Amino acid sequence: MIPRWFENRWENGCDIAEMIARLYQWCYGNLTNYMHPYVVIGIMVLVSMGIIAGGFAFLSD
């Protein structure tokens, strides 16, 4: 059951990964002018976890 669930969500997972990559690149490029790079990376880890959790919650059947 679990592998089939992930198989059906492959395209959604790819879209989420693409969105996270674009968001990370934008934030890192813009926010490092104002904050230390480690702070920016920490923020992006938290944002990424939120996007992934939201994606699985809203895109599930």
Side-chain angles (χ1 to χ4, degrees):
M1 176 138 172
I2 298 279
R4 186 176 292 162
W5 185 87
F6 281 111
E7 188 177 295
N8 292 337
R9 299 296 180 263
W10 178 252
E11 288 182 28
N12 294 338
C14 290
D15 291 340
I16 290 169
E18 231 178 271
M19 180 174 52
I20 291 170
R22 280 187 269 133
L23 182 62
Y24 178 80
Q25 290 172 352
W26 179 84
C27 284
Y28 193 81
N30 290 321
L31 294 179
T32 51
N33 296 329
Y34 307 106
M35 297 180 216
H36 193 274
Y38 292 134
V39 174
V40 176
I41 291 170
I43 291 170
M44 286 312 306
V45 167
L46 293 175
V47 169
S48 299
M49 290 177 3
I51 291 171
I52 290 170
F56 280 113
F58 291 114
L59 298 175
S60 64
D61 289 331

